Amino acid sequence: MHYAEVRTPVRDRDTVAAYFVRAGLWRLRHEPTRADAILRSADIDPTWLTDPLFRIPAQSVIRFWLAVTEEFDDEFFGFDSHGMPRGTFAVICRHVIHEPDLGRALEQCLKTFGLFIHDIQARLEVRGRRAAIVVENSLSDPTILHITEEIFLSMVIGVICWLTGRRLLLDRTEFGHERIAHGADPLVWGPWTKFDAPQTR
């Protein structure tokens, strides 16, 4: 089981912003030949990545994520100092599937991610009928702060969508970094997104 497989069924018309794919190649930013080979193996034209907001077919993105995971033996794509060896995501899913409710499942999901990923940690805050995932980021490279948080949160949300069998709709998202021209896909983070917030949540 891989991250790309833990989600609601992909429809032919589903797409993903190109900046997610471009970010996945961060470790290969100085190896264009190797990066192009991975893209073409997933039926992704490298020229598509020149526009970060270009929409790439979701099926191609799934093939891309699986190829990158295999290339790096890391299901967090080289962003963390510790990383997630292949098979980690399956372990996380097995830990949460037997929880009695979504709240307990989400708490367990975040704790288990924290056993593997060291530079990004998250906790669940519940106030009345509202819940928030609060992120702490200790990455030293400011150029990848925003995308690592987006990828981390998309993985967590992917687990929850898989458990519930439907796409999770967010009320609001706050990012602790400045607005990035090619970040924060509204189709993922909802219609109300704030930047330069005190914390990502």
Side-chain angles (χ1 to χ4, degrees):
M1 180 183 294
H2 299 276
Y3 161 57
E5 296 168 325
V6 181
R7 53 163 294 162
T8 51
V10 176
R11 300 166 299 182
D12 289 341
R13 67 177 181 275
D14 286 346
T15 59
V16 178
Y19 76 88
F20 275 117
V21 173
R22 188 172 173 180
L25 294 170
W26 176 73
R27 276 182 60 179
L28 298 179
R29 60 196 181 281
H30 303 307
E31 301 182 61
T33 301
R34 193 175 165 198
D36 281 4
I38 291 176
L39 290 171
R40 295 190 186 282
S41 74
D43 297 323
I44 295 175
D45 186 332
T47 63
W48 293 350
L49 305 191
T50 58
D51 177 2
L53 298 182
F54 183 85
R55 307 299 300 188
I56 298 176
Q59 291 285 3
S60 293
V61 176
I62 288 173
R63 289 192 293 271
F64 168 78
W65 286 128
L66 294 177
V68 171
T69 295
E70 183 173 357
E71 183 79 12
F72 298 155
D73 188 25
D74 183 355
E75 293 181 343
F76 200 54
F77 321 116
F79 286 113
D80 183 73
S81 59
H82 184 259
M84 291 174 55
R86 293 176 68 193
T88 299
F89 207 76
V91 171
I92 293 172
C93 292
R94 291 190 189 104
H95 270 75
V96 303
I97 195 169
H98 298 297
E99 294 293 342
D101 57 58
L102 188 57
R104 292 274 295 276
L106 187 49
E107 285 183 336
Q108 185 62 49
C109 176
L110 296 175
K111 287 178 182 177
T112 312
F113 265 112
L115 296 176
F116 298 95
I117 297 178
H118 292 182
D119 299 332
I120 296 182
Q121 297 285 303
R123 67 182 187 278
L124 182 66
E125 286 188 356
V126 179
R127 297 178 181 176
R129 299 183 62 185
R130 300 183 67 85
I133 300 169
V134 182
V135 177
E136 300 281 353
N137 193 331
S138 60
L139 283 165
S140 58
D141 186 345
T143 65
I144 60 171
L145 287 178
H146 68 285
I147 195 62
T148 53
E149 290 185 344
E150 288 199 53
I151 289 176
F152 173 80
L153 287 171
S154 69
M155 293 174 77
V156 172
I157 292 168
V159 173
I160 301 307
C161 292
W162 170 68
L163 283 173
T164 59
R166 63 182 178 86
R167 188 182 297 273
L168 184 68
L169 301 178
L170 305 180
D171 289 336
R172 60 190 291 171
T173 304
E174 299 179 0
F175 288 108
H177 54 75
E178 64 183 10
R179 179 184 291 274
I180 305 297
H182 55 274
D185 188 337
L187 296 178
V188 178
W189 308 116
W192 201 98
T193 305
K194 179 181 179 181
F195 296 86
D196 290 317
Q199 204 166 26
T200 294
R201 57 192 293 125

